Amino acid sequence: MRMEFDNSRSYINKKLDSDSEIKLVNIIQKAKSNWILILTSVLLGVLIAFIYLRYSEPQFRVRTTIFIDDEDNGGLASTLSAFEDLGIPGSNSNKSIVNEIGVLKSYSLMRSVIEGLNLNISYFSQGKIGKYEIYGKDLPIKVNYFIKDSVSFNTDREYKIIHTSETEFLFQTEGDESMTKYSFGNNIKVDFGEINIVPANNHTISPGSIILLKTQKLDDVCNYYMDKVKIEPQQDLSSILVLSLTDPVKEKAKSILNYLVSNYVIEGVNFKIKISENTDNFINDRIMDISEDLNDVDRGVEEFKTKNKLTNIEYESSLVLESNSEVGKRIVELSSQIQVLDYISDYLNNNSDQLIPPNLGVNDDSSNNIIQDYNKLLLERNRILKGSSRMNPTVIALDEQLLKLRQSIRQSLASSKSSLNFSLDQAKNQEYKLNVRRGNAPQQEREFQDIKRKQVIIESLYLYLLEKREENAISLGIPVPNAKVVDKAYGSDKPVSPIPILIYVVSIFLGAVFSISIILFKSLLDNKVHSTEDVELMVEAPILGEIPMTSSKRKLVMNDAQNDGIAEAFRLVRTNINFMLNNSQNEPKVIFLTSTIGSEGKTFTAINLAMSMGLLEKRVLLIEADIRKPKIAKYLKLSRPKGLTHFLVDKDVEPQDIIFKNEETHIDIITSGEIPPNPSELLLNGRFEKIVKYSKENYDFIFIDTAPVSVVTDTLLLGSLADSFIYVIRAEFLDKKLLKIPQLMYKNKRLPNMAILLNSVVKQHGTYSYGYKNEKKSFWNSLFSK
């Protein structure tokens, strides 16, 4: 028995594997049969999309383009390329685009924009359903605040202003149910101070209009717009930056971007001016000191000439020193650089809080870079110190960094000076060798040469500083911005979101997916038998036919005048039974009807099949052998005092005593009689075989309605008496898992000559409509049909 069940299960598994090949077809068929549900879902999606588009706030994208100064690309700094050795601010060709993007996205710069445009204060027009922001020239009112900025910048409040007339309005604070009437121009006391509301110019105030006034914390607004402003290079390795902002109010977005770029340019220029001013102060101090040194040297020349009575010593010395003039120039140049390093070192030691002039004639890129970093960090520390104390952790950290940078500058200057001294010693050594070669040069000339060299060194340094002062004055007079606006903020009148066509396409797609998902979900949860295809996948037994589902409560659907679809279905099954039984020799046939469980319609099928045979003028007997739960008498409204159970119990009762001849149905009937306490024992006492034998002697067809096979064993005990078994399966009712029972019965030949009859099948409109009128489906039946 176990082996047989495993073989049956193997067959079922093979059938289930083949089921995957027709799943797509089934899905398409289900979609076609539920087209009304799909159409309804799509239309609902379109309606939702329409409502969303009707009341959603459109978003506009605004862009501005700026060019970051880069001398290598022929930028603005190229006009000052002659001053490169001075390190004029704005001529740094190594400027990083990434760093400039960081500056543009900095909190301090965005805060200046929010403060300058008062963006922490917003105005909204209240409509019937939603609200939309108004800005700039569209504002019908103007609100004046008589409070400190620090208070308004840290306040979250919302106020409602309802215009009652051209001169008066109602004012309500958020969370306050009461409303107070004011006239335009009157001061209004709020919880953080006083405000004043006046009509805006060129605006007519409509009575009943509602304006919402909202103040927000400045930090929240800054963080919001820092996230929304997008900055990216126009192309890879490009010095052109594109700033974009998406906002419901296009004019507001334009103002933000224009103000942001303007402040960025102004701060860059101010930084350059600050550097130039400090450089100018440093040069002036050095010029005063060098002027005194130059005067001392000039007096020394005068005294030397007077003491030695020399007149044209310069000419004479030039003839002698012509051979080593180049060496002298080298010594002068090295000495000048050493002197500049000494000046810078002295300045660094005596001025701890001042900017250090960069690139002041020192040919040391490392020192210049450290000085520039020191100046930037010092400016940042001074900016923070304006609004804080020296005990601020940020200031302390910056002071520590500045101290480290000063140490690095000292070390770098010392290293540079050591290198210059080494070069100077080599030059003097070379000069000494030339002097030895001169031999008998007068001591006066050598002494005068030393004095003259000091004069030349100090004089050249003095002239150099005068030149640099003029160059710095030019940079002060013409501050060059580090960025140029290529395009001011602009934006299209067409919103970037929501996009109507995209919203409608997505809504149609989601509507279709939603309805199809419902259909598929119902299919996944659906484990009922629906059609002969479901049966054929799991049961090898032949199919007699299908009986369509009917909404009628009639149990007798077969008669001479009945020509509807269900009657034709029974006639078709009748033909298939004759063909299956090969009844050409007119031998009497015993046909058992059973099912898997109760309520599958086997009694209904037995009655109407028997009646369909009776209509062919055949002698037909219908026996109700389901003595546990009889229904034939109830369906046919019969009242018989005796039935099958009486015959089985009482040996004096003859078959003809319990047969009821029904002229209306053209068949004879044996009802079950009284329900006994021991049905199985009665059916096996030998009396049932006697009545079957009698029936075969007197009738052409004997239909026996038996009990379900999965509930009791009555049917299996009597199965050997049958010429054929009609196994009734009710569609939309029986679980597919239970199909293994009829498969097992057929495989093991427990029910001889078994065939399947599918009952109560839901068919598409028109399936049984050839020449007959069918029942019409309601809208909801069509909508949710499987």
Side-chain angles (χ1 to χ4, degrees):
M1 181 69 180
R2 177 65 180 175
M3 184 177 297
E4 293 175 349
F5 180 77
D6 290 341
N7 292 336
S8 176
R9 185 163 58 182
S10 176
Y11 168 77
I12 293 173
N13 291 336
K14 292 180 181 178
K15 286 291 188 179
L16 289 177
D17 291 339
S18 64
D19 184 31
S20 60
E21 300 177 0
I22 59 173
K23 280 186 176 179
L24 181 60
V25 177
N26 289 339
I27 292 174
I28 296 175
Q29 289 177 348
K30 288 180 182 295
K32 289 175 62 179
S33 62
N34 290 274
W35 67 271
I36 297 180
L37 175 61
I38 297 176
L39 178 61
T40 302
S41 298
V42 170
L43 292 178
L44 181 61
V46 172
L47 177 61
I48 294 174
F50 173 78
I51 296 174
Y52 172 77
L53 291 172
R54 174 66 178 81
Y55 296 105
S56 63
E57 195 171 38
Q59 299 288 324
F60 298 90
R61 178 172 295 168
V62 175
R63 293 157 49 98
T64 184
T65 308
I66 61 173
F67 173 70
I68 302 299
D69 181 20
D70 187 351
E71 183 183 9
D72 292 339
N73 294 331
L76 297 175
S78 61
T79 57
L80 297 178
S81 58
F83 310 130
E84 184 177 2
D85 62 335
L86 183 62
I88 295 176
S91 63
N92 183 11
S93 61
N94 297 322
K95 185 175 299 177
S96 173
I97 298 298
V98 176
N99 292 339
E100 296 307 311
I101 292 177
V103 174
L104 283 166
K105 291 185 71 70
S106 65
Y107 174 83
S108 59
L109 188 61
M110 182 57 71
R111 184 183 178 94
S112 67
V113 175
I114 304 302
E115 291 178 356
L117 296 176
N118 292 322
L119 295 181
N120 63 312
I121 303 172
S122 305
Y123 302 84
F124 298 88
S125 178
Q126 181 69 59
K128 294 181 180 180
I129 295 181
K131 60 181 181 180
Y132 62 92
E133 186 176 359
I134 48 179
Y135 178 80
K137 296 184 293 183
D138 296 330
L139 288 173
I141 60 173
K142 181 180 180 182
V143 180
N144 301 310
Y145 287 81
F146 302 101
I147 55 176
K148 294 181 179 179
D149 289 342
S150 58
V151 177
S152 64
F153 289 163
N154 294 282
T155 304
D156 273 327
R157 293 289 187 277
E158 186 172 303
Y159 308 96
K160 182 183 289 187
I161 302 168
I162 303 177
H163 299 143
T164 57
S165 66
E166 294 184 358
T167 58
E168 293 180 329
F169 60 91
L170 296 175
F171 187 83
Q172 182 182 25
T173 305
E174 181 183 15
D176 189 0
E177 297 181 357
S178 62
M179 304 186 73
T180 307
K181 181 177 287 188
Y182 293 94
S183 297
F184 287 108
N186 292 344
N187 288 353
I188 302 173
K189 291 184 178 180
V190 293
D191 52 358
F192 57 83
E194 289 187 350
I195 61 174
N196 180 281
I197 302 176
V198 295
N201 295 332
N202 302 323
H203 276 280
T204 301
I205 299 176
S206 301
S209 60
I210 301 175
I211 301 296
L212 300 179
L213 174 63
K214 185 176 182 180
T215 62
Q216 297 175 274
K217 292 183 179 179
L218 188 65
D219 289 343
D220 295 341
V221 181
C222 287
N223 292 329
Y224 174 76
Y225 281 106
M226 284 173 64
D227 292 337
K228 291 195 68 175
V229 173
K230 306 298 180 184
I231 305 174
E232 55 187 9
Q234 191 177 53
Q235 295 178 352
D236 293 339
L237 305 178
S238 173
S239 296
I240 297 179
L241 296 180
V242 178
L243 289 76
S244 62
L245 174 60
T246 302
D247 196 79
V249 184
K250 186 173 67 173
E251 294 302 322
K252 182 178 181 180
K254 287 183 178 180
S255 299
I256 292 173
L257 291 184
N258 287 332
Y259 209 90
L260 179 67
V261 172
S262 176
N263 283 11
Y264 166 72
V265 173
I266 291 173
E267 287 193 5
V269 171
N270 290 338
F271 174 75
K272 295 177 181 179
I273 292 175
K274 187 69 175 178
I275 293 290
S276 298
E277 289 177 348
N278 281 273
T279 302
D280 188 66
N281 294 333
F282 172 81
I283 292 175
N284 288 332
D285 292 340
R286 295 302 97 198
I287 287 176
M288 293 180 62
D289 294 339
I290 292 173
S291 295
E292 295 178 2
D293 295 339
L294 187 60
N295 290 332
D296 293 340
V297 172
D298 289 341
R299 283 192 294 269
V301 171
E302 182 181 358
E303 291 174 357
F304 180 82
K305 286 185 176 182
T306 303
K307 179 180 178 180
N308 294 283
K309 298 180 180 181
L310 299 174
T311 56
N312 196 14
I313 195 170
E314 291 87 355
Y315 175 74
E316 296 174 0
S317 298
S318 64
L319 295 176
V320 177
L321 298 174
E322 183 178 0
S323 60
N324 62 348
S325 61
E326 293 298 326
V327 176
K329 292 180 182 180
R330 175 64 175 165
I331 293 175
V332 169
E333 180 182 356
L334 293 173
S335 299
S336 298
Q337 292 189 24
I338 292 172
Q339 188 70 37
V340 170
L341 290 178
D342 291 335
Y343 288 153
I344 294 177
S345 298
D346 293 339
Y347 183 86
L348 182 64
N349 294 329
N350 298 328
N351 299 273
S352 61
D353 292 332
Q354 298 296 324
L355 295 172
I356 301 173
N359 293 341
L360 197 61
V362 178
N363 298 325
D364 186 357
D365 294 335
S366 176
S367 299
N368 292 333
N369 291 335
I370 297 175
I371 291 173
Q372 288 181 2
D373 293 340
Y374 175 87
N375 288 338
K376 290 181 180 179
L377 193 61
L378 181 62
L379 288 175
E380 178 65 16
R381 176 254 194 189
N382 292 339
R383 184 184 68 80
I384 297 175
L385 194 60
K386 290 181 180 179
S388 179
S389 66
R390 291 183 178 271
M391 300 306 295
N392 189 311
T394 304
V395 175
I396 294 174
L398 292 175
D399 285 338
E400 292 177 357
Q401 295 182 41
L402 290 171
L403 181 60
K404 292 179 180 179
L405 287 176
R406 292 174 70 87
Q407 293 174 353
S408 298
I409 294 172
R410 290 191 183 97
Q411 294 176 358
S412 179
L413 293 177
S415 176
S416 298
K417 184 176 179 181
S418 177
S419 177
L420 291 174
N421 284 327
F422 177 77
S423 299
L424 181 62
D425 290 339
Q426 287 183 329
K428 287 182 177 180
N429 186 37
Q430 184 179 3
E431 184 185 45
Y432 174 76
K433 293 178 179 179
L434 291 174
N435 289 334
V436 171
R437 290 174 62 186
R438 286 187 302 174
N440 298 322
Q443 182 179 359
Q444 294 175 339
E445 292 181 0
R446 290 196 301 271
E447 292 177 355
F448 181 76
Q449 181 65 28
D450 292 337
I451 296 173
K452 187 65 176 177
R453 181 179 297 134
K454 293 180 181 179
Q455 184 184 34
V456 172
I457 291 173
I458 296 175
E459 185 179 22
S460 63
L461 183 59
Y462 180 77
L463 294 175
Y464 178 81
L465 290 176
L466 288 177
E467 179 185 357
K468 293 305 176 183
R469 184 171 65 179
E470 291 302 319
E471 293 174 348
N472 191 60
I474 294 175
S475 67
L476 272 173
I478 312 175
V480 181
N482 58 351
K484 174 186 176 182
V485 178
V486 179
D487 290 317
K488 287 189 175 182
Y490 67 93
S492 173
D493 293 333
K494 185 177 180 180
V496 295
S497 69
I499 303 175
I501 184 65
L502 179 61
I503 297 298
Y504 279 120
V505 170
V506 171
S507 65
I508 291 172
F509 174 76
L510 292 179
V513 169
F514 175 75
S515 57
I516 294 175
S517 299
I518 292 177
I519 296 171
L520 294 179
F521 183 70
K522 286 174 61 181
S523 299
L524 290 174
L525 296 180
D526 182 19
N527 59 352
K528 304 298 183 184
V529 176
H530 299 296
S531 64
T532 55
E533 288 80 4
D534 295 335
V535 178
E536 289 174 343
L537 286 172
M538 301 185 69
V539 183
E540 295 178 278
I543 307 295
L544 275 178
E546 298 178 348
I547 304 300
M549 183 178 66
T550 176
S551 59
S552 174
K553 295 182 179 181
R554 292 185 299 110
K555 301 301 180 184
L556 300 179
V557 297
M558 292 298 301
N559 55 53
D560 293 332
Q562 196 73 21
N563 290 320
D564 57 5
I566 191 169
E568 287 302 315
F570 274 108
R571 292 186 177 97
L572 181 60
V573 172
R574 178 185 65 191
T575 302
N576 291 338
I577 290 174
N578 286 326
F579 179 79
M580 181 182 67
L581 296 177
N582 192 17
N583 198 24
S584 59
Q585 298 179 0
N586 296 323
E587 296 178 357
K589 299 296 182 182
V590 179
I591 302 173
F592 279 50
L593 288 95
T594 187
S595 61
T596 306
I597 57 177
S599 302
E600 291 198 69
K602 60 180 180 56
T603 301
F604 166 77
T605 304
I607 293 173
N608 287 281
L609 276 178
M611 291 176 62
S612 68
M613 287 293 184
L615 292 175
L616 295 178
E617 297 182 356
K618 299 289 186 180
R619 296 174 299 164
V620 179
L621 175 64
L622 175 61
I623 301 176
E624 188 174 24
D626 187 359
I627 58 178
R628 298 174 183 270
K629 194 175 180 181
K631 295 180 180 178
I632 289 179
K634 179 182 177 181
Y635 286 176
L636 299 180
K637 299 179 181 180
L638 302 178
S639 177
R640 296 290 296 165
K642 292 183 180 182
L644 180 61
T645 56
H646 296 85
F647 176 80
L648 297 176
V649 173
D650 190 354
K651 295 181 180 181
D652 295 332
V653 177
E654 296 298 329
Q656 57 269 26
D657 296 335
I658 61 173
I659 294 176
F660 173 74
K661 297 185 180 294
N662 191 343
E663 299 295 336
E664 180 182 354
T665 59
H666 305 285
I667 62 175
D668 294 345
I669 302 170
I670 298 178
T671 60
S672 66
E674 299 294 334
I675 299 177
N678 54 346
S680 297
E681 288 75 9
L682 285 178
L683 292 172
L684 292 176
N685 64 6
R687 296 279 290 172
F688 190 78
E689 288 82 349
K690 183 179 179 180
I691 200 170
V692 172
K693 181 180 179 182
Y694 173 84
S695 301
K696 294 179 71 173
E697 293 173 352
N698 295 277
Y699 294 93
D700 298 321
F701 287 92
I702 301 96
F703 290 92
I704 301 178
D705 181 17
T706 62
V709 294
S710 68
V711 180
V712 294
T713 61
D714 299 356
T715 303
L716 299 177
L717 296 174
L718 302 174
S720 60
L721 301 176
D723 295 311
S724 177
F725 260 90
I726 297 178
Y727 199 103
V728 179
I729 295 176
R730 181 179 174 183
E732 319 299 333
F733 179 77
L734 185 67
D735 194 316
K736 289 181 181 179
K737 294 179 181 179
L738 295 178
L739 289 177
K740 63 185 179 181
I741 295 176
Q743 168 61 16
L744 186 61
M745 295 295 174
Y746 181 81
K747 193 74 174 178
N748 297 335
K749 298 182 180 180
R750 299 291 300 276
L751 303 178
N753 206 11
M754 172 182 156
I756 302 295
L757 178 60
L758 197 59
N759 182 37
S760 192
V761 178
V762 177
K763 286 294 183 179
Q764 297 298 319
H765 184 69
T767 304
Y768 298 101
S769 61
Y770 185 74
Y772 307 107
K773 294 182 179 180
N774 287 306
E775 299 177 70
K776 294 183 179 180
K777 289 186 178 181
S778 67
F779 171 79
W780 295 108
N781 284 338
S782 299
L783 185 61
F784 295 105
S785 63
K786 294 182 175 63

